[in-house]
Amino acid sequence: MLWISIALLAIFKYADFFVTSFNAVTGLSLPLLRLALPIGISFYTFQCLSYVIDVKRGKIEAERSFVRMALYISFFPQLVAGPIVKAADFLPQLKEDRRITLKSFETGIQLMIFGLIKKIVIADHLSVFVDDVFRTPTAFHWLTIVLAVFSYAIQIYLDFSGYSDIAIGCAKILGYDFLPNFNIPYISENVTVFWRRWHISLSTWLREYLYIPLGGNRKGKTRQYINLLLTMLLGGLWHGANWTFVFWGLLHGLALCVDKMLPKKKAPKTLSKILGAVGTFLFVSFTWIFFRSENFSKAWMVIRGIVTLQSGVVQPFFWTFVALITVFTATMAAVIRSKKLGQKSSEGYYPLLKLNTIPGLTLFFILCGLVIGLAFTGEHPFVYFQF
């Protein structure tokens, strides 16, 4: 079962990628399979693998019910783009008497509204500007390119965390609980913390089922660095059959290694955290260039346009500033709230309203009105649908 799942993923998602790469190196012209990529294959393959591995490890018992197993693998809210739900977290819920309640509906519908605001009110508007600049980066002024790079950093965060919120909210309405998949990652003081806050279900999966089995940090520093690089390289490849994704993973792997080499302070001061967060955001935004670009040539055009202070079309984009203000305000509110509650982490930020009160219900309908009135009307699928 383990190798069957891996083989199916490799054939459907990576066969043509490796054939193309082999042809480019050898000069041959081997035929491509041109197989249609099954929807959500990366996500449900990882869920299958987590189940098989956990059963072999003895962490969970083998599921005897075909219906429950099928529901775990194909549970529709998160099937297409995650979060990656581990069997140990979800299968026990299927054996419980879960009911749809008014409280779970109130929470779930609000999470879905928050996700829709992130996606169709902000991220999709940003996508218009980002697509224009990344399509022809040589035509734009370097400041516009920088703005587009930061816009994509915000776009992919709101797009993917928005989908995660919708999936978590939908599951909540049905009576099931998913763990948060994002935890305000752009305030991370280093890359290690960033990966504890970004796409948490994937980073947790990679750590538990790849990094630790490779040896983790138990076999010396050199082996730890190799394990980090291998984990992030495979994590990059998981995102897509393109060398730009592999290079993106390599950059993050190198950054994690550098972070492990640096001496750690027991209690970094506020200024150090702020400077670290700024530096981490700049680094992550730079690596998004390779994640977003179709190939290395396009990525180099973007970087060269910035480095050479390229002249061209100047296009300040209104929605970028709206997005930056919105994300900054929500982040500060989350940090302040967590401090008031005495929490070390905000554990994601969901400003849930009390819908049994007139002010709460009024604000909720205002949010619904924002979704309807400001929604992007063009067609732009979720970024992670392609994975």
Side-chain angles (χ1 to χ4, degrees):
M1 180 65 178
L2 179 67
W3 292 108
I4 291 175
S5 298
I6 295 174
L8 289 174
L9 179 64
I11 292 171
F12 278 98
K13 190 170 183 177
Y14 301 108
D16 284 354
F17 167 64
F18 286 118
V19 170
T20 302
S21 300
F22 181 78
N23 287 344
V25 172
T26 62
L28 298 174
S29 55
L30 298 179
L32 302 178
L33 297 179
R34 302 189 185 282
L35 299 173
L37 187 65
I39 296 174
I41 186 171
S42 296
F43 290 92
Y44 61 71
T45 297
F46 269 31
Q47 292 191 182
C48 290
L49 293 177
S50 77
Y51 167 77
V52 174
I53 295 171
D54 282 351
V55 169
K56 292 186 69 174
R57 289 176 175 176
K59 291 182 64 176
I60 60 173
E61 294 183 358
E63 179 55 59
R64 303 301 179 185
S65 169
F66 174 79
V67 173
R68 281 197 292 265
M69 190 64 199
L71 180 57
Y72 160 64
I73 295 173
S74 60
F75 192 51
F76 74 91
Q78 46 72 236
L79 174 65
V80 180
I84 302 169
V85 180
K86 292 188 295 184
D89 295 328
F90 191 67
L91 282 176
Q93 296 185 49
L94 298 180
K95 299 177 182 179
E96 299 172 354
D97 184 19
R98 295 266 171 163
R99 298 178 181 273
I100 298 175
T101 63
L102 181 60
K103 182 178 180 180
S104 66
F105 180 83
E106 288 182 357
T107 301
I109 197 67
Q110 290 188 69
L111 293 180
M112 294 183 73
I113 291 296
F114 296 149
L116 288 171
I117 290 175
K118 288 180 178 180
K119 167 60 178 173
I120 63 177
V121 175
I122 303 179
D124 282 358
H125 283 287
L126 291 177
S127 70
V128 178
F129 173 56
V130 171
D131 290 348
D132 283 345
V133 175
F134 273 82
R135 187 180 300 112
T136 54
T138 55
F140 292 90
H141 192 276
W142 70 274
L143 285 175
T144 302
I145 298 175
V146 170
L147 191 64
V149 171
F150 289 146
S151 296
Y152 184 68
I154 303 299
Q155 178 201 342
I156 192 171
Y157 167 50
L158 296 180
D159 189 289
F160 191 27
S161 67
Y163 182 91
S164 296
D165 291 346
I166 293 170
I168 293 169
C170 185
K172 191 73 174 178
I173 290 174
L174 297 174
Y176 299 100
D177 297 319
F178 289 165
L179 297 175
N181 204 28
F182 288 85
N183 185 8
I184 47 176
Y186 286 148
I187 65 169
S188 306
E189 60 264 30
N190 55 57
V191 178
T192 300
V193 176
F194 173 80
W195 277 104
R196 292 173 187 161
R197 294 172 173 268
W198 176 275
H199 202 346
I200 299 171
S201 61
L202 174 63
S203 58
T204 302
W205 196 100
L206 291 173
R207 183 178 68 250
E208 291 186 8
Y209 301 110
L210 186 59
Y211 175 68
I212 292 177
L214 285 173
N217 58 0
R218 304 186 304 275
K219 299 184 178 181
K221 287 292 184 180
T222 302
R223 182 63 180 273
Q224 181 185 17
Y225 301 147
I226 294 174
N227 293 339
L228 284 171
L229 288 173
L230 286 174
T231 300
M232 294 311 299
L233 282 170
L234 290 173
L237 185 61
W238 175 87
H239 281 86
N242 195 320
W243 287 112
T244 54
F245 291 119
V246 178
F247 187 68
W248 170 81
L250 174 64
L251 291 176
H252 276 271
L254 291 172
L256 288 171
C257 292
V258 171
D259 186 52
K260 298 298 181 184
M261 295 176 186
L262 296 175
K264 295 292 183 293
K265 297 179 181 179
K266 290 185 178 181
K269 297 181 180 179
T270 302
L271 181 60
S272 298
K273 287 186 176 181
I274 294 174
L275 293 176
V278 172
T280 302
F281 177 71
L282 292 175
F283 169 78
V284 170
S285 298
F286 170 75
T287 61
W288 285 135
I289 295 174
F290 298 96
F291 193 94
R292 172 60 181 77
S293 300
E294 295 90 348
N295 49 56
F296 285 109
S297 178
K298 279 290 183 70
W300 173 241
M301 289 180 188
V302 173
I303 296 170
R304 184 174 58 188
I306 297 173
V307 173
T308 61
L309 304 182
Q310 174 179 290
S311 59
V313 178
V314 177
Q315 185 180 346
F317 192 65
F318 169 75
W319 279 100
T320 297
F321 300 103
V322 171
L324 289 172
I325 292 171
T326 302
V327 171
F328 178 80
T329 302
T331 299
M332 291 301 99
V335 171
I336 293 171
R337 185 190 69 166
S338 63
K339 286 187 176 181
K340 284 185 177 180
L341 297 176
Q343 298 174 337
K344 293 183 179 180
S345 171
S346 62
E347 298 177 355
Y349 180 49
Y350 302 119
L352 298 175
L353 303 169
K354 294 181 179 180
L355 299 186
N356 60 345
T357 65
I358 293 178
L361 201 59
T362 302
L363 286 174
F364 174 74
F365 280 114
I366 289 174
L367 293 175
C368 293
L370 289 175
V371 172
I372 297 171
L374 299 178
F376 178 73
T377 55
E379 182 181 354
H380 200 283
F382 287 94
V383 172
Y384 269 66
F385 274 14
Q386 62 184 303
F387 307 137

